Amino acid sequence: MPLPTGTTRPISLLLSTALAAATLTGCTLLELARDCEGTEDRVKETAALDILDSRPAGATVARGFEKVDAGCWADSGDVTVYANRTYAFPGTQAEVAAYYRTAAVRNGWNPDPEALSDDLCFVKEKMSLQVVFLTAEGLAEDGHGSRPDLTAGAGYSINIDSFVNSGVEAGC
């Protein structure tokens, strides 16, 4: 017994749309389903890295950023686990840079040989660590509004990306 066309038309339209989307984005339905599957332990390990809690004297965890922001994202088959920590520091960017150049190396991170000399970028195995100074404009773009506690002195974030795919090189 044939199904009424009122029932099959929406289903065929849905399947056609899914097929077209997969074709146009270059993703297969299988890739879309697996993305970050099984990375929960890796997210926890990355979020627990000591360097995220290491900070110069006087630096405080920024209000609203009390917890490490950690998770996983996938793009075109590349899967990356990340962890970020944000600090407010009353001193200068130069003091922050000097601190992390020492602390990162002490924790087994190496300066990224391909990074610019001014960049605070380090690599370790399949991970990259970057210290980024915050600006009022960047905070506003990210939906954090005006944050004088992060733009006076040297507000900064420590960002770690851990590459899940074996073919991806660590770097900033």
Side-chain angles (χ1 to χ4, degrees):
M1 165 159 66
L3 292 172
T5 58
T7 304
T8 58
R9 192 162 282 153
I11 293 171
S12 63
L13 180 61
L14 176 67
L15 290 174
S16 297
T17 303
L19 180 60
T23 302
L24 292 174
T25 63
C27 298
T28 66
L29 293 177
L30 180 60
E31 285 175 345
L32 291 173
R34 88 176 149 82
D35 289 341
C36 288
E37 187 177 311
T39 61
E40 297 82 11
D41 289 341
R42 185 101 173 246
V43 169
K44 288 177 188 173
E45 290 169 9
T46 304
L49 290 171
D50 291 339
I51 194 71
L52 290 169
D53 290 322
S54 180
R55 60 184 182 239
T60 58
V61 174
R63 181 178 33 84
F65 296 92
E66 289 80 8
K67 294 183 180 181
V68 172
D69 176 28
C72 176
W73 59 272
D75 181 30
S76 301
D78 293 330
V79 179
T80 305
V81 167
Y82 67 88
N84 306 319
R85 193 77 195 249
T86 302
Y87 292 100
F89 182 65
T92 67
Q93 290 183 3
E95 291 171 300
V96 171
Y99 176 84
Y100 282 103
R101 284 193 176 102
T102 301
V105 171
R106 186 176 47 238
N107 279 277
W109 296 86
N110 298 307
D112 183 350
E114 296 186 22
L116 299 174
S117 61
D118 293 353
D119 287 348
L120 290 171
C121 178
F122 306 88
V123 293
K124 180 180 187 178
E125 299 161 8
K126 294 258 181 214
M127 297 182 289
S128 67
L129 174 139
Q130 190 169 21
V131 177
V132 178
F133 294 102
L134 305 175
T135 64
E137 297 81 20
L139 288 165
E141 286 175 13
D142 291 340
H144 297 292
S146 176
R147 294 289 304 264
D149 59 323
L150 293 176
T151 55
Y156 66 95
S157 66
I158 303 170
N159 308 310
I160 296 176
D161 289 321
S162 177
F163 303 99
V164 176
N165 296 0
S166 61
V168 177
E169 290 293 321
C172 298

